[in-house]
C-alpha cells in the first residue's frame, strides 16, 4: 500500500475500473450518444429540406401565374382582328387585289 505522503492515483483507478468491468455500459452509452447525434442531424436536414420545399412551391406557383399571364397575352396579341386593325389603322396598310399579286417562281 502507499505511504501517507503519497497520493492515491484516483484518475488511474477510475479509468481502469470503468474500462475493465463496465465495457458493455461504455459501449451502450456510446451507442446512445451516436444515436442522439444522428437524430439531431436528421432532424436538422429534414427541417432544411422542408423549408427549401416551401420556397420551391412558392416559386412554382409564381412561375405558373406568369405562364398563364403569358398565354393570355399571346392569345390577345395574336388575335387576327387585333393584328388587322393595327395594320390598317396604325401602319396604313390595305389588302391587295388579285391583279396586284406577283408570283415569283424559281
Amino acid at each position: 500500500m502507499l505511504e501517507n505522503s503519497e497520493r492515491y492515483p484516483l484518475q488511474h483507478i477510475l479509468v481502469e475500473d470503468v474500462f475493465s468491468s463496465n465495457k458493455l455500459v461504455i459501449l451502450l452509452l456510446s451507442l446512445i450518444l451516436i444515436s442522439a447525434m444522428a437524430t439531431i442531424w436528421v432532424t436538422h436536414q429534414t427541417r432544411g429540406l422542408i423549408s427549401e420545399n416551401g420556397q420551391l412551391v412558392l416559386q412554382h406557383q409564381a412561375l405558373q401565374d406568369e405562364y398563364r399571364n403569358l398565354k393570355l397575352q399571346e392569345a390577345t396579341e395574336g388575335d387576327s382582328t387585333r393584328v388587322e386593325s393595327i395594320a390598317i389603322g396604325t401602319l396604313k396598310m390595305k389588302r391587295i387585289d388579285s391583279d396586284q399579286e406577283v408570283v415569283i417562281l424559281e
Side-chain angles (χ1 to χ4, degrees):
M1 197 119 180
L2 299 172
E3 297 179 13
N4 288 337
S5 62
E6 293 183 26
R7 298 186 72 189
Y8 289 102
L10 186 58
Q11 290 176 343
H12 179 68
I13 294 171
L14 288 174
V15 169
E16 186 178 304
D17 183 45
V18 166
F19 286 112
S20 66
S21 62
N22 296 324
K23 290 181 183 177
L24 181 62
V25 172
I26 296 293
L27 176 67
L28 292 175
L29 183 61
S30 300
L31 291 175
I32 290 171
L33 289 175
I34 291 170
S35 173
M37 294 303 289
T39 303
I40 291 169
W41 181 77
V42 166
T43 303
H44 175 70
Q45 294 296 321
T46 303
R47 287 181 180 170
L49 290 174
I50 288 171
S51 173
E52 184 179 348
N53 184 31
Q55 291 172 353
L56 289 174
V57 165
L58 291 176
Q59 184 180 7
H60 182 258
Q61 290 173 349
L63 288 173
Q64 281 183 332
D65 291 343
E66 184 178 355
Y67 176 73
R68 274 188 246 118
N69 289 337
L70 288 173
K71 292 297 277 185
L72 182 62
Q73 182 179 0
E74 179 186 26
T76 303
E77 291 182 0
D79 187 23
S80 62
T81 56
R82 181 179 180 277
V83 171
E84 189 174 336
S85 68
I86 290 173
I88 292 171
T90 306
L91 301 174
K92 307 294 185 217
M93 299 174 87
K94 59 182 179 178
R95 291 196 175 270
I96 60 169
D97 296 326
S98 61
D99 59 333
Q100 294 175 330
E101 287 183 22
V102 176
V103 178
I104 300 174
L105 299 172
E106 270 188 57

